[in-house]
């Protein structure tokens, strides 16, 4: 099972999907496009445990973290 974790001001939500389920993959890709289109940054975890920013949906990623754009001022 793969996980998409969405961080926001209320905490986080987790969306699980199976890499081998075409419907689940399509929903995960749509969620990726929707969130990044809203300004969220997407990152996947590397083998070393670090986060790497990604610009396109990776259907093989076990975990993708989405965090909102920081606003300061």
């Amino acid at each position: 099972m793969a996980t998409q974790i969405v961080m926001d001001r209320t905490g986080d939500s987790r969306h699980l999907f199976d890499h081998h389920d075409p419907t689940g993959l399509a929903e995960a890709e749509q969620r990726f496009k929707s969130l990044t289109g809203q300004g969220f940054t997407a990152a996947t975890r590397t083998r070393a445990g670090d986060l790497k920013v990604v610009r396109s949906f990776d259907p093989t990623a076990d975990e993708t973290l989405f965090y909102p754009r920081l606003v300061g001022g």
Side-chain angles (χ1 to χ4, degrees), residues 47-65:
R47 290 181 191 242
D50 300 320
L51 288 176
K52 175 185 172 191
V53 173
V54 293
R55 305 279 184 225
S56 59
F57 178 69
D58 179 0
T60 64
D62 288 328
E63 180 181 272
T64 305
L65 174 68

